Amino acid sequence: MNERISALMDGELERREAGGALDALKHEGGARDAWRRYHLIGDAMRDTRLLSAGFAARVTMKLGDEPTVLAPRAKPLLEQRRWQLLSAAASVAAVAFVSFAYFSQDPAAPAVPVAQTPASAETAQVAPPETANDYLLAHQGYSPRNSLQGMAAYVRTVSSDARGSRR
Amino acid sequence: MRLRALGLALAFCGVCEAQTPAPTASQGTADAMVLLRKIYQATEKLSYSGTFVYQQADRTETSRIDRVAGPGGDIERVEVLDGMPREIVRTRDTVRCYLPESQTVKVERRIDQRAFPGMLPEHVSDLARNYTISRGERVRIAGYDCEAVLLTPKDDLRYGYKLWADAATGMLLKARTINRKGDVVEQFTFTQLAIGNVPRERVRTRNGNAAQSWRVEDAAVAPANLARAGWTMGGELPGFRKVTEVTRRLGEARPVGQMVFSDGMAAVSVFIEPMAGRSEAVRPGLSSLGAFHIYTREVANHIVTVVGEAPAASVQRMANQVEFRRPQ
């Protein structure tokens, strides 16, 4: 079967034989593996390598660090995964390029915010600390808002929403 | 990532907007300063009773406030009427926060004149360094004819503010904090207000008897020199200067160092506490609560927590400036 897959890739199969090979691709994991392996070999031989070694692994790691904001994770079908990752990697690279292009095309953008804003964009958004109210209350005593509006400003710091207030 | 790019794009629009010269003439600025000074004086001098609504994101809370000013010392009491019961009472030198559900009283005593109030009315003109101060339109709020004053930030390190005050007395009836996109991040509005004679019993705690058996968490604030212990700021946040530096307790027992920086409207606190003795795991990162941002990071086996009523980037920048050098 592997030879037939290889022949199919090279366009050397008759129509009827090609039909059988495509069928195998549809239904047999082994055939699909061969298809991918041969493409990888072909790419390597033609020196059309697009991504550095370990790129997929690094992307996986980075994705793992990202908070899940999309739909629930799909079933981990290992044989599909590599391709999904490569396509994800390509999208990441594409978006990164778009963002970069955005910056470089905007000469009006002030230098300082450019340097600062990505820092906050890359920062992990976390839930407020358990003891958020303690910090807020300790802070409020020195807030200039007290002299502007008196104790009303304190309601901001004893929120029932901030976690830990019911300890 | 695409969202981030969009966010950045919006942020830049905000910057452009902020840079358009304000149409305010200097006469308008002077007028606005007069009104602002009047607001500070009213907050210090008036007695009043009222109900106000605090809004932040999807949170809306109604509170009752009573304030008695006079030769016997000012006393002020706030009671949150929605959600978890909370009552805050301030006397001349002490703030007590009563939390009936957890049977806790949090106590904080003022140690120096700079602590409360945070700013004196005679320093209003200092605000003009970081904000463009202008007059807004006249509107009616809770039965009072109000004049508005706007504080538009001169950079993106701070929020903007719009304040509405009773034209006759200067009493603040509505206050908005606005980010650079023009969104309101928090708002206070009085829905009912009576200025003048407030009986003293109105400002006494409703938890007085019950609270005698409650746990007392005294902040035990003491002046400090954190630089001597090795803690310094590697840089400064433009417009913000150090207001105070203390050691204190947070919650039940945790001893922490606290530095407070302010630009006259906004304040940012830097808390430094040893990692040892922390009951909860430390989650480095940024969290947001209305106009507040909290940024946590680890420095030299300590937890640095920066809390500020300022944009996230400012809070984060200040947190990243905290440095430790072993004292000689």
Side-chain angles (χ1 to χ4, degrees):
Chain A
M1 175 53 71
N2 288 359
E3 284 150 17
R4 275 202 287 154
I5 298 292
S6 172
L8 175 72
M9 279 171 55
D10 296 340
E12 288 168 6
L13 287 189
E14 297 295 336
R15 176 181 271 262
R16 203 166 53 84
E17 282 178 309
L22 288 170
D23 248 18
L25 275 178
K26 252 187 237 167
H27 302 294
E28 290 172 35
R32 279 198 297 273
D33 270 349
W35 169 268
R36 283 173 206 140
R37 209 161 44 241
Y38 290 152
H39 270 291
L40 212 62
I41 293 167
D43 285 347
M45 285 169 68
R46 285 188 295 274
D47 207 15
T48 51
R49 194 183 54 149
L50 288 172
L51 303 167
S52 59
F55 185 87
R58 285 200 303 278
V59 171
T60 317
M61 224 166 66
K62 294 219 161 157
L63 286 177
D65 288 341
E66 294 272 345
T68 309
V69 288
L70 298 172
R73 198 164 297 184
K75 284 178 198 152
L77 292 173
L78 276 176
E79 66 262 48
Q80 286 180 9
R81 193 158 177 149
R82 205 178 338 154
W83 297 99
Q84 288 170 348
L85 285 176
L86 281 178
S87 104
S91 328
V92 170
V95 177
F97 175 74
V98 169
S99 313
F100 177 76
Y102 168 77
F103 283 128
S104 40
Q105 280 168 13
D106 191 353
V112 175
V114 170
Q116 288 160 9
T117 321
S120 67
E122 281 163 18
T123 305
Q125 285 281 339
V126 297
E130 302 270 340
T131 48
N133 274 347
D134 289 341
Y135 291 110
L136 292 172
L137 196 61
H139 169 79
Q140 187 63 42
Y142 305 99
S143 170
R145 287 300 282 266
N146 301 339
S147 38
L148 186 68
Q149 62 180 130
M151 297 308 283
Y154 266 76
V155 301
R156 308 188 289 178
T157 65
V158 288
S159 152
S160 52
D161 291 352
R163 298 164 55 187
S165 51
R166 287 167 185 268
R167 285 179 312 134
Chain B
M1 205 126 180
R2 214 164 291 158
L3 277 177
R4 282 174 195 168
L6 179 65
L8 291 175
L10 289 173
F12 288 131
C13 296
V15 169
C16 304
E17 243 169 71
Q19 283 170 348
T20 16
T24 326
S26 58
Q27 181 55 43
T29 302
D31 271 6
M33 296 273 219
V34 169
L35 176 57
L36 197 51
R37 243 176 234 119
K38 199 165 154 185
I39 295 174
Y40 282 104
Q41 281 157 0
T43 305
E44 209 185 323
K45 301 262 171 3
L46 294 179
S47 296
Y48 53 86
S49 284
T51 307
F52 67 88
V53 174
Y54 171 63
Q55 287 164 285
Q56 175 255 102
D58 53 355
R59 174 181 160 201
T60 301
E61 274 175 2
T62 306
S63 298
R64 167 100 204 154
I65 187 164
D66 297 280
R67 183 175 197 277
V68 173
D74 310 333
I75 306 181
E76 206 168 341
R77 189 183 85 92
V78 175
E79 187 181 358
V80 183
L81 303 175
D82 298 323
M84 183 183 82
R86 284 147 283 165
E87 184 192 45
I88 306 144
V89 178
R90 180 183 68 83
T91 55
R92 186 194 289 271
D93 60 355
T94 308
V95 173
R96 284 189 178 81
C97 177
Y98 297 88
L99 302 168
E101 280 189 4
S102 57
Q103 304 213 326
T104 308
V105 194
K106 293 174 187 275
V107 183
E108 177 149 353
R109 287 183 179 82
R110 140 173 149 181
I111 52 161
D112 60 30
Q113 291 300 316
R114 289 171 302 167
F116 329 114
M119 204 188 65
L120 300 165
E122 51 265 36
H123 294 154
V124 163
S125 46
D126 292 349
L127 288 173
R129 276 188 223 141
N130 300 303
Y131 300 88
T132 303
I133 303 172
S134 57
R135 284 291 283 265
E137 76 285 10
R138 273 180 95 108
V139 288
R140 198 156 162 274
I141 301 166
Y144 291 84
D145 282 321
C146 291
E147 292 179 309
V149 52
L150 278 100
L151 290 100
T152 310
K154 291 184 175 175
D155 57 27
D156 56 358
L157 297 170
R158 54 210 105 231
Y159 287 129
Y161 302 90
K162 188 165 185 184
L163 313 168
W164 288 263
D166 172 30
T169 60
M171 174 73 200
L172 187 73
L173 271 106
K174 182 168 171 175
R176 262 185 193 168
T177 306
I178 301 153
N179 68 15
R180 59 180 178 174
K181 282 189 270 174
D183 300 332
V184 177
V185 291
E186 66 173 9
Q187 175 173 296
F188 291 85
T189 323
F190 270 95
T191 53
Q192 177 271 321
L193 177 72
I195 300 171
N197 290 327
V198 176
R200 284 238 159 212
E201 67 261 20
R202 286 250 187 98
V203 291
R204 281 197 198 108
T205 172
R206 300 289 185 271
N207 295 291
N209 287 332
Q212 285 174 3
S213 60
W214 292 1
R215 186 176 71 234
V216 176
E217 291 179 358
D218 194 321
V221 179
N225 183 338
L226 297 175
R228 210 173 289 154
W231 294 99
T232 53
M233 300 299 285
E236 58 173 23
L237 201 56
F240 285 80
R241 52 185 188 79
K242 197 193 283 173
V243 179
T244 196
E245 191 171 359
V246 297
T247 55
R248 60 177 302 132
R249 288 176 190 284
L250 269 191
E252 279 175 80
R254 290 181 293 144
V256 303
Q258 180 182 8
M259 288 185 260
V260 186
F261 300 84
S262 174
D263 71 349
M265 276 303 283
V268 179
S269 279
V270 176
F271 295 94
I272 300 165
E273 58 197 295
M275 199 100 103
R278 292 262 310 199
S279 53
E280 59 170 306
V282 177
R283 285 162 302 181
L286 180 78
S287 50
S288 308
L289 290 163
F292 283 100
H293 285 95
I294 304 178
Y295 186 76
T296 307
R297 69 185 275 252
E298 196 186 315
V299 181
N301 222 21
H302 284 67
I303 307 300
V304 170
T305 307
V306 179
V307 174
E309 42 204 302
S314 303
V315 170
Q316 193 172 352
R317 192 162 147 188
M318 193 155 269
N320 288 333
Q321 285 166 350
V322 177
E323 287 176 357
F324 177 76
R325 278 197 202 89
R326 198 163 294 284
Q328 296 302 310

